[in-house]
Structure formats: C-alpha cells, structure tokens
Amino acid sequence: MAETKTTVTAAAAKTTSHQAKKSSNLFAILAVPICIAIAYIFYIFVLGNPANFMGNNPENHPIEAGIGKWFGTVHKGGAIVPILISILLICITFVIERFLYLSKAKGKFSGSELVRKVQYHLANKNVDAAISECDKQKGSVGNVLKAGLKKYKEMISNTDLDTDQKILTIKNEIEETTALELPMMEKNLVFLSTIASVATLVGLFGTVLGMIKAFSAMSTGGAPDSAALALGISEALINTALGIGTSAIAIIMYNYFTTNIDSITYAIDESGFTLTQSFAANHK
C-alpha cells in the first residue's frame, strides 16, 4: 500500500513538472515573435512618425526639440534598430518572467528559516508539523523538503529496511525531487546568456554599417556631404548604444538570477542533509 502511494506521489510530481515545462516552452515560443512584431510596429509607427521629423517628412532631419527629437534620432539608426529593439524587448520579457518565477521559487520565507523550523519539529518527533511548515513556505525548498519528509514518515514505520537503507531511500527521494525543481529554475536563462553576447555583436554590425555610410559621404568628390556624414555617424552611435545597453541588462540580470538559483540550491542541499542526519540520530 505504501509503495503504491509513493508511486502515485512521484507520478503526480512528474506530471506537474511536465505541465510547468510545457507551459514555459509555450511562453518562449509565443514571446519571441510577439516581441519582434511589437518592435517593428514601434519602429515604423512611433519612431518613424512623420511628426518626429522636419516638414513631416521622415527623409528629413529629426525635429530640434521634445520627445520627437529622440524618437526621430533613433529611427535614423537604420534597419538594424528594429532588430536591436526586438532583442531588448525579448530580454526585458524574459527578465520579468524569470523574476516572477524565482520570486515564487524562493517561497514565503527563506529556505534557511524553513530548515530551522523543520529541525525543531523533527527534534520533537513531530513530522506532520514539519510538513505543515513546508506547505506554508510554498517554494522550491519547501517542495523538496516536503517530499523528503513524506518519505521520512513512511520510513519510520517501515520494518523491511535497515537504518542505512532507509536513509538512502530518503536521500534518493530528495535527489529525485530536486532533479525536477532545478531545471525549471534555470529555464529560459539561455535567452539572457545568448542576448548578452549577441546584442553587442548586432550593435557592432549596425555601427559598421553606419561608418560605411559616413566614409562613403567623405569619399565623394569635392566637399564631403555633411548631412550624409552626420547621418552615418549617428546611425553608428545609435546602434552601438542600443547593443551595449541591451547586453549590459542581460549580463546583470543573468548574474542576478544565477546567484538566486545558487542560494536556493544551497538551501535544498542543506535541507536534504538535515533530514538524513535527523533520521540517523532519531532512529538508530
């Protein structure tokens, strides 16, 4: 009976993990094309609004004052600008998504605090109260610790295994639950790590195109075309700024998220060690 219950619990955990993974994949599939579409709409209809340019003509220079000046200037960055805006929007989207997910994974209170509460209840041989604390925490540490505590409770009444085998069974349960939790925390971070390097390269590509235009203007016979020269330099600098800015956001947030994941992982490891040590001490 106990074996059947354990199998059902494991199957339910795997189903929940699969559903969460499927939902995350769907989000990634939809988020990227939506961000690209929004970027191009913004570039054409907002940055390229004729009101942002002298004589209401996008072929002219941007107006000299107001927000339209900045919009018109960015629009003059050329065809690479909407690509960079797309990358920036994708970056911001996944930063928000990961922030929300990891905030939930941290739980209502810290993993270290949960471990201390569980230690107290286990010292008083109150496993149900320890499980209740995991339900209150509602984070990844709580999920792993709850699975371990259920197995802990099951092993107390188990007469078929010796103490070492029981501890190994608890340890295996914790490792299996951890293997389901960790990949979901690291999910979609690949977008940020990729953007961190790609954004700079795309910005550099736009810079090169802008400089080609600038030098082309200087190579004309007679006096250089000052308007074309300024346009080429402007395009180069705008692409550089967008590329470096996007890359900086991606790097900072990627490091922030990995640090948070490391702290949650440490708390999970600490909880697993606490559980096995407690069982070994209380059920020799």
Side-chain angles (χ1 to χ4, degrees):
M1 182 72 179
E3 235 179 80
T4 305
K5 188 177 178 183
T6 303
T7 305
V8 170
T9 304
K14 286 178 181 177
T15 301
T16 303
S17 175
H18 178 72
Q19 289 173 343
K21 187 176 181 181
K22 189 175 179 180
S23 176
S24 182
N25 287 338
L26 181 62
F27 175 82
I29 290 169
L30 293 175
V32 173
I34 289 172
C35 286
I36 293 171
I38 292 172
Y40 273 88
I41 290 170
F42 183 76
Y43 176 76
I44 294 167
F45 296 104
V46 179
L47 299 181
N49 189 335
N52 297 331
F53 304 90
M54 292 180 179
N56 289 325
N57 185 356
E59 297 298 323
N60 294 335
H61 291 293
I63 57 177
E64 295 180 353
I67 191 75
K69 173 187 177 182
W70 297 105
F71 282 176
T73 301
V74 173
H75 186 270
K76 289 293 182 182
I80 302 298
V81 168
I83 297 174
L84 287 168
I85 294 175
S86 300
I87 295 172
L88 176 60
L89 289 178
I90 292 168
C91 177
I92 293 171
T93 299
F94 284 105
V95 163
I96 294 171
E97 186 268 339
R98 282 295 88 190
F99 182 81
L100 293 174
Y101 185 87
L102 290 178
S103 295
K104 183 181 177 183
K106 284 180 181 178
K108 300 291 183 182
F109 49 89
S110 72
S112 299
E113 185 180 344
L114 174 62
V115 170
R116 286 195 298 272
K117 289 180 178 180
V118 168
Q119 280 178 323
Y120 171 79
H121 290 303
L122 291 181
N124 292 312
K125 302 187 186 306
N126 192 344
V127 182
D128 289 331
I131 292 174
S132 178
E133 292 294 345
C134 295
D135 289 331
K136 292 176 186 175
Q137 203 262 350
K138 294 182 179 178
S140 291
V141 179
N143 292 340
V144 173
L145 200 46
K146 183 179 178 179
L149 283 166
K150 284 183 175 179
K151 185 62 68 175
Y152 183 107
K153 188 177 180 180
E154 184 186 319
M155 289 299 105
I156 292 173
S157 57
N158 188 303
T159 55
D160 298 328
L161 303 175
D162 60 33
T163 301
D164 288 338
Q165 289 174 321
K166 290 177 180 180
I167 290 172
L168 183 60
T169 302
I170 295 170
K171 208 179 275 187
N172 288 339
E173 182 69 16
I174 292 170
E175 288 174 359
E176 186 175 333
T177 312
T178 302
L180 296 174
E181 289 286 334
L182 287 183
M184 289 307 300
M185 286 192 282
E186 296 172 350
K187 187 81 176 171
N188 294 333
L189 284 183
V190 65
F191 284 94
L192 295 183
S193 62
T194 303
I195 287 170
S197 54
V198 168
T200 306
L201 295 176
V202 175
L204 180 61
F205 180 65
T207 302
V208 171
L209 293 181
M211 294 309 295
I212 289 172
K213 288 183 181 179
F215 282 107
S216 294
M218 293 179 66
S219 67
T220 57
D225 185 343
S226 59
L229 177 61
L231 180 63
I233 294 173
S234 174
E235 180 175 337
L237 296 178
I238 288 165
N239 284 291
T240 302
L242 280 172
I244 292 175
T246 303
S247 181
I249 293 171
I251 291 169
I252 291 168
M253 296 313 298
Y254 178 83
N255 289 334
Y256 171 77
F257 292 140
T258 52
T259 300
N260 276 270
I261 291 170
D262 286 344
S263 67
I264 294 172
T265 304
Y266 174 78
I268 288 174
D269 291 340
E270 184 185 9
S271 68
F273 178 78
T274 298
L275 212 56
T276 52
Q277 290 300 306
S278 172
F279 190 92
N282 295 332
H283 302 88
K284 292 179 180 177

